């Protein structure tokens, strides 16, 4: 496995420092750079665990029809737009097409000379991929249009659908009454537009369950809202189901006797519908593969995300379903340097394997052995239009144990490896569009002025002499490669994984928010001289697993 | 064993592009279309292709056996597929699908895109067998729509017979 590096979002912990990387739970706090956002307002990294997600529009992934949110619930979140007929093959989940019936076959397999262009009824749904067709399950249509409406009759008369309608009716008065009561509870919270459904759901979730301790997160103030309405729940009369569970004995899939009977008489596995084929259905359906019905394509949604503390939008897609662009896009990759990591000894081993034609083989020479020292390379790419200075620190791997702990325990808690990183700050040149098109070495046609940020280029070239492994190794365009070193102790076990603090200093365009209260003259003065700011973030570096060499093995190396 | 001599018998109504890699004893029937960059390789026994077949770019048809490999009429070999087996009529071998020599297709079979068909024992696929999806699952097609599909295939071939010669040099058989 190649070494990895991930970025820390502090939302999961109460301190700004990340958890120890050897804790299994720590992975929850670290993310790939492309999954992170950056709030300019708060000057902070935001991840998918902490952002607030809002649906900004629904659309059908097949016909790209934008479905107004009002009708999404009425359509049960499936496409039945316009005259288009968006159905999914129940067998392979490909899109189905409407086709006419074949003209009568004259027996010799040759088609009749003229096939009418409009086609002959009955029409049916047909899968071009697996050749499933709806005639197999007895679904045919007189007209090739408005199929969804024609199929609606089947759907609506299903006992489950009727039961669900009744349930909705039953809760209707309660839901209508909810907004007024929940309004007070929500007054202080950020969520001003919680709809009655959400309110009802959260109140159901927040209900006291005998024997289960109530979960009270100390930071979250917004989940308190639901519980205030507990007094309301007794007002809802009990609901009496029309049909008893399991009594729908005629239908397969309900877990009744008939299901057992069906499974008992299976001859081939193919008779059974796979879980995947049944998963997307709203109701429990028959487990028999030959009973699978075409499904209306589930709608997709476009979502925008907000910063949890300042509520500014971090990412917002364009409204049109056809568009893949964003109106707002504050992704961390545009603010933080991208860091990639490599182990030169592992790459050499891989290259050798590739040359010898055993690309799939395990690179034995690329593993890390206990008791050895290995260099590693960190490559930084600057996304900013200004040069930056970067400084690296290794987070002390483990917190000290209590002073009266036995020395053995103290020793066991010490990290089994030592990491050396360049101690001095190093520069990364500014990003320029032109870099993207240039070959690595070949910098033709660029004026000397453009080389401002590359003053230290000479140092990199010196370092190409193999003697140095720690320090700046290479500088080209907006990329700087630095070398580090890891010394693995003889008793070391487990993964070489450590937290690294990255601080970078950049020129800030806007005045420091802290100085906004200062006198106007002072702000003026600062604007004349570019102000330098520093942003720090944590990363976790995983170099791989330490291999313990067998004591009886070859020690000749 | 002596290497097989090249012997190409191409029907005058077939359209076989110049840039087709052919080796061995090959017979191509009336109205069959072979796109440029296709490969037909009768490595051991001869290959006989019927009429109305369409063999697209990069498709490979290979006979590893000593027996004659007979390919029926109106079969479609899509881009980059590889077929090493005989077959009946109206089969479709989709893009980059591979069928090994241990298998035989009857008629109206569909081998889905990218599917690999390797039978450990000799196997003859029943008519209307469809192999599809990443796990090369199988099902039996009801046959609904086959007449319209056959009609479409004929039109497809007709169009190619008209257009391909305008942009490609054609190959003629030996002494036909
Ligand atoms: Zn996070
Ligand atoms: Zn977060
Ligand atoms: Zn649709
Ligand atoms: Zn299908
Ligand atoms: Zn914010």
């Amino acid at each position: 496995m190649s070494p990895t590096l991930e970025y820390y979002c502090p939302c999961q912990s109460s301190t700004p420092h990340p958890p120890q990387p050897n804790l299994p739970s720590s992975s929850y706090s670290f993310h790939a750079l492309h999954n992170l956002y950056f709030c300019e307002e708060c000057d902070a990294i935001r991840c998918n665990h902490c952002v607030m997600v809002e649906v900004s529009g629904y659309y059908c992934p097949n016909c790209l029809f934008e479905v107004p949110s009002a009708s999404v619930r009425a359509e049960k979140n499936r496409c039945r737009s316009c005259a288009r007929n968006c159905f999914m093959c129940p067998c392979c989940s490909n899109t189905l097409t409407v086709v006419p019936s074949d003209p009568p076959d004259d027996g010799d397999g040759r088609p009749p000379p003229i096939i009418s262009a409009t086609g002959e009824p009955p029409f049916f749904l047909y899968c071009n991929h697996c050749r499933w067709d709806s005639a197999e399950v007895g679904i045919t249509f007189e007209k090739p249009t408005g199929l969804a409406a024609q199929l609606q009759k089947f759907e609506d008369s299903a006992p489950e659908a009727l039961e669900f309608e009744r349930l909705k009716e039953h809760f209707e008065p309660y839901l209508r009454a909810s907004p007024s009561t929940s309004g007070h509870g929500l007054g202080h919270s950020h969520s001003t537009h919680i709809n009655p459904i959400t309110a009802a759901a959260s109140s159901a979730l927040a209900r006291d369950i005998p024997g289960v301790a109530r979960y009270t997160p100390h930071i979250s103030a917004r989940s308190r809202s639901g519980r205030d309405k507990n007094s309301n729940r007794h007002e809802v009369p009990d609901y009496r189901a029309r049909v008893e569970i399991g009594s729908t004995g005629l239908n397969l899939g309900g877990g009744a006797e008939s299901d057992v009977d069906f499974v008992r008489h299976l001859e081939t596995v193919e008779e059974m519908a796979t879980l995947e084929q049944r998963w997307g259905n709203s109701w429990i359906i028959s487990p028999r593969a030959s009973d699978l019905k075409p499904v209306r394509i589930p709608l997709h949604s476009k979502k925008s995300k907000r910063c949890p503390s300042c509520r500014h939008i971090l990412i917002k897609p364009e409204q049109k379903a056809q568009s893949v662009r964003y109106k707002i896009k504050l992704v961390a990759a545009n603010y933080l340097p991208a860091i990639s990591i490599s182990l030169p000894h592992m790459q050499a081993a891989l290259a050798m394997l590739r040359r010898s034609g055993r690309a799939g083989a395990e690179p034995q020479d690329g593993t890390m052995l206990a008791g050895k020292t290995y260099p590693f390379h960190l490559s930084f790419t600057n996304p900013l239009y200004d040069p930056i200075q970067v400084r690296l620190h290794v987070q002390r791997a483990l917190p000290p144990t209590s002073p009266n702990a036995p020395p053995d325990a103290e020793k066991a808690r010490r990290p089994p490896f030592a990491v050396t990183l360049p101690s001095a700050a190093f520069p990364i040149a500014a990003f320029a569009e032109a870099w993207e098109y240039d070959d690595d070495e070949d910098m033709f046609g660029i004026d000397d002025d453009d080389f401002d940020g590359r003053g230290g280029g000479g140092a990199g070239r010196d370092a190409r002499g193999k003697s140095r492994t720690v320090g700046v190794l290479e500088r080209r365009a907006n990329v700087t490669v630095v070398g580090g070193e890891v010394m693995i102790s003889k008793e070391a076990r487990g993964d070489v994984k450590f937290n690294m603090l990255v601080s970078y200093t950049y020129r800030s365009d806007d005045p420091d928010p802290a100085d906004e209260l200062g006198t106007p003259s002072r702000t003026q003065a600062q604007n004349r001289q570019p102000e330098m700011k520093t942003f720090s973030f944590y990363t976790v570096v995983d170099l791989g697993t330490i291999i313990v060499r067998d004591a009886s093995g070859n020690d000749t190396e | 064993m002596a290497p097989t001599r090249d012997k190409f018998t191409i029907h005058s109504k077939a359209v076989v592009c110049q840039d087709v890699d052919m080796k061995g004893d090959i017979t191509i029937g009336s109205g069959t279309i072979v796109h440029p960059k296709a490969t037909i390789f009768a490595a051991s026994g001869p290959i006989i292709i019927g009429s109305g077949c369409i063999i697209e770019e990069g498709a490979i048809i290979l006979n590893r056996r000593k027996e004659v490999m007979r390919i029926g009429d109106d079969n479609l070999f899509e881009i980059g597929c590889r077929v090493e087996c005989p077959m009946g009529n109206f089969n479709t071998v989709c893009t980059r699908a591979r069928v090994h020599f241990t298998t035989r297709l009857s008629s109206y079979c569909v081998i889905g895109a990218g599917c690999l068909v390797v039978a450990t024992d000799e196997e003859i696929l029943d008519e209307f067998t469809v192999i599809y999806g990443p796990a090369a699952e199988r099902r039996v097609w009801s046959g609904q729509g086959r007449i319209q599909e056959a009609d479409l295939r004929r039109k497809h071939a007709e169009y190619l017979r008209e257009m391909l010669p305008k942009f490609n040099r054609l190959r003629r058989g030996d002494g036909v």
Side-chain angles (χ1 to χ4, degrees):
Chain A
M1 206 190 72
S2 53
T4 59
L5 185 143
E6 288 188 320
Y7 293 66
Y8 175 61
C9 175
C11 63
Q12 302 292 327
S13 81
S14 44
T15 72
H17 304 293
Q20 292 309 317
N22 48 351
L23 298 174
S25 61
S26 72
S27 66
Y28 203 61
S29 298
F30 291 101
H31 314 270
L33 179 60
H34 63 256
N35 287 331
L36 292 173
Y37 306 96
F38 193 89
C39 180
E40 280 195 337
E41 215 66 30
C42 307
D43 204 28
I45 295 173
R46 300 291 180 219
C47 74
N48 278 318
H49 300 313
C50 54
V51 292
M52 304 169 78
V53 181
E54 285 166 20
V55 171
S56 62
Y58 298 89
Y59 65 98
C60 168
N62 186 48
C63 64
L64 296 181
F65 180 80
E66 281 150 52
V67 184
S69 9
S71 55
V72 168
R73 216 182 303 157
E75 306 297 4
K76 302 198 179 72
N77 197 29
R78 308 257 168 176
C79 180
R80 57 169 286 187
S81 68
C82 49
R84 282 171 277 233
N85 299 294
C86 299
F87 289 94
M88 211 165 76
C89 174
C91 182
C92 71
S93 77
N94 191 21
T95 306
L96 295 172
T97 46
V98 192
V99 294
S101 295
D102 271 342
D105 197 347
D106 48 8
D108 61 352
R110 308 280 132 181
I114 307 142
I115 286 187
S116 101
T118 51
E120 302 182 22
F123 296 87
F124 53 92
L125 290 163
Y126 174 71
C127 174
N128 270 314
H129 186 54
C130 73
R131 310 254 165 164
W132 179 92
D133 65 67
S134 65
E136 285 178 31
V137 291
I139 298 177
T140 55
F141 307 91
E142 286 315 304
K143 287 182 294 151
T145 50
L147 302 196
Q150 294 185 51
L151 270 183
Q152 189 79 15
K153 280 173 273 164
F154 292 103
E155 277 176 38
D156 289 350
S157 59
E160 295 90 345
L162 292 174
E163 192 70 40
F164 184 65
E165 287 305 317
R166 265 175 44 101
L167 257 176
K168 278 204 300 196
E169 260 168 49
H170 177 79
F171 284 111
E172 192 71 42
Y174 172 63
L175 292 180
R176 209 169 291 139
S178 288
S180 54
T181 47
S182 65
H184 305 294
L186 294 170
H188 65 279
S189 127
H190 339 273
S191 323
T192 47
H193 52 270
I194 278 193
N195 68 43
I197 302 286
T198 322
S202 67
S203 116
L205 286 173
R207 173 179 74 194
D208 285 319
I209 298 164
V212 177
R214 178 179 287 180
Y215 169 63
T216 17
H218 57 283
I219 15 166
S220 160
R222 37 190 159 127
S223 65
R224 216 185 304 143
S225 55
R227 228 170 287 126
D228 302 334
K229 306 190 300 292
N230 266 359
S231 50
N232 269 2
R233 77 190 144 124
H234 298 296
E235 293 165 20
V236 189
D238 281 348
Y239 177 76
R240 202 165 285 278
R242 254 167 27 121
V243 275
E244 289 297 312
I245 296 167
S247 75
T248 51
L250 294 173
N251 299 358
L252 285 175
E257 203 59 35
S258 48
D259 280 16
V260 182
D261 215 49
F262 163 66
V263 176
R264 212 173 262 151
H265 292 94
L266 276 182
E267 279 178 23
T268 62
V269 201
E270 283 78 37
E271 286 173 46
M272 191 85 182
T274 63
L275 187 57
E276 264 171 21
Q277 288 168 339
R278 295 191 287 153
W279 193 249
N281 274 282
S282 308
W283 315 115
I284 290 171
I285 57 157
S286 157
R288 202 179 359 219
S290 57
D291 283 350
L292 291 170
K293 301 273 193 301
V295 267
R296 283 192 284 147
I297 288 185
L299 300 177
H300 283 202
S301 64
K302 287 196 164 197
K303 300 181 196 79
S304 41
K305 295 175 181 175
R306 289 177 186 273
C307 172
S309 55
C310 71
R311 307 254 303 144
H312 277 84
I313 291 178
L314 299 175
I315 192 155
K316 187 186 176 70
E318 281 186 5
Q319 190 64 40
K320 277 205 308 269
Q322 291 96 321
S323 171
V324 291
R325 285 195 298 246
Y326 294 90
K327 269 191 198 143
I328 299 170
K329 195 173 90 175
L330 301 174
V331 292
N334 289 341
Y335 295 87
L336 311 180
I339 312 170
S340 63
I341 182 155
S342 62
L343 284 165
H345 78 282
M346 185 178 276
Q347 284 187 327
L350 276 174
M352 203 141 84
L353 277 180
R354 222 168 287 134
R355 268 198 302 277
S356 59
R358 295 180 296 138
E362 195 67 18
Q364 281 302 323
D365 303 326
T367 51
M368 289 191 295
L369 300 170
K372 289 209 162 196
T373 298
Y374 295 97
F376 58 87
H377 291 176
L378 290 164
S379 161
F380 291 78
T381 308
N382 181 8
L384 305 177
Y385 287 99
D386 288 305
I388 57 173
Q389 292 279 330
V390 178
R391 206 178 265 277
L392 304 176
H393 298 278
V394 178
Q395 188 196 29
R396 234 174 1 122
L398 288 161
T401 44
S402 52
N404 49 1
D408 273 5
E410 172 72 33
K411 197 182 170 194
R413 289 177 65 87
R414 211 172 295 147
F417 53 85
V419 177
T420 317
L421 288 169
S423 51
F426 55 89
I428 315 176
F431 168 80
E433 264 87 5
W435 298 130
E436 305 235 298
Y437 304 104
D438 284 324
D439 286 338
D440 285 355
E441 309 300 329
D442 202 22
M443 306 296 297
F444 52 89
I446 288 177
D447 294 338
D448 282 355
D449 308 351
D450 289 348
F451 281 82
D452 275 348
R454 290 166 43 92
R461 248 156 256 149
D462 296 344
R464 279 189 192 158
K466 284 274 170 182
S467 55
R468 260 173 69 199
T469 52
V470 177
V472 176
L473 302 181
E474 193 185 350
R475 295 188 60 202
R476 66 188 142 80
N478 59 331
V479 179
T480 297
V481 181
V482 300
E485 207 170 56
V486 61
M487 214 165 78
I488 305 171
S489 75
K490 278 217 170 61
E491 309 83 60
R493 301 286 183 277
D495 293 340
V496 182
K497 218 171 165 187
F498 58 93
N499 290 339
M500 179 174 79
L501 179 71
V502 181
S503 309
Y504 66 95
T505 307
Y506 61 103
R507 201 183 64 196
S508 162
D509 295 334
D510 20 78
D512 195 316
D515 288 333
E516 267 168 26
L517 299 170
T519 57
S521 62
R522 202 189 135 196
T523 319
Q524 282 289 323
Q526 273 181 340
N527 279 353
R528 238 167 266 141
Q529 248 185 355
E531 185 200 346
M532 301 309 282
K533 276 188 173 178
T534 299
F535 185 81
S536 299
F537 59 93
Y538 272 104
T539 58
V540 64
V541 178
D542 185 357
L543 288 174
T545 309
I546 301 164
I547 304 288
V548 183
R549 207 184 299 173
D550 207 335
S552 60
N554 53 341
D555 275 340
T556 44
E557 261 186 80
Chain B
M1 196 183 76
T4 46
R5 269 208 6 257
D6 285 354
K7 177 168 165 275
F8 308 139
T9 314
I10 300 172
H11 193 279
S12 59
K13 287 211 177 96
V15 174
V16 180
C17 295
Q18 189 67 51
D19 192 10
V20 170
D21 200 1
M22 298 205 290
K23 280 195 183 71
D25 184 351
I26 297 164
T27 307
I28 295 176
S30 158
T32 284
I33 287 141
V34 187
H35 284 250
K37 300 288 179 198
T39 303
I40 304 173
F41 198 180
S44 189
I47 294 177
I48 300 178
I49 299 173
S51 66
C53 291
I54 302 171
I55 300 166
E56 295 186 346
E57 290 91 340
I60 299 170
I61 297 175
L62 165 67
N63 187 7
R64 298 171 179 276
R65 303 194 165 201
K66 285 207 189 68
E67 305 93 79
V68 176
M69 180 167 133
R70 221 174 269 279
I71 287 176
D73 303 336
D74 302 294
N75 295 295
L76 171 62
F77 298 85
E78 290 188 354
I79 295 170
C81 70
R82 181 188 179 102
V83 173
E84 303 180 358
C85 70
M87 61 177 73
N89 308 324
F90 278 113
N91 294 291
T92 305
V93 183
C94 296
T95 306
R96 291 187 74 91
R98 277 156 60 202
V99 190
H100 273 228
F101 62 89
T102 45
T103 311
R104 262 158 203 273
L105 310 189
S106 48
S107 291
Y108 295 102
C109 293
V110 181
I111 312 295
C115 287
L116 173 62
V117 184
V118 195
T120 39
D121 299 315
E122 300 275 317
E123 185 191 15
I124 302 175
L125 294 186
D126 288 339
E127 287 198 351
F128 298 110
T129 298
V130 180
I131 298 183
Y132 66 96
E137 282 155 283
R138 291 184 183 200
R139 66 189 308 280
V140 179
W141 174 27
S142 69
Q144 281 274 15
R146 72 181 182 284
I147 296 179
Q148 292 166 82
E149 187 172 324
D151 182 57
L152 188 67
R153 180 145 325 157
R154 296 250 160 79
K155 286 179 182 144
H156 182 184
E158 225 164 81
Y159 175 82
L160 289 172
R161 269 195 294 279
E162 197 180 307
M163 298 307 285
L164 271 188
K166 293 187 182 168
F167 306 101
N168 290 277
R169 283 167 178 280
L170 299 191
R171 216 185 242 260
R172 294 277 145 237
D174 315 319
V176 175

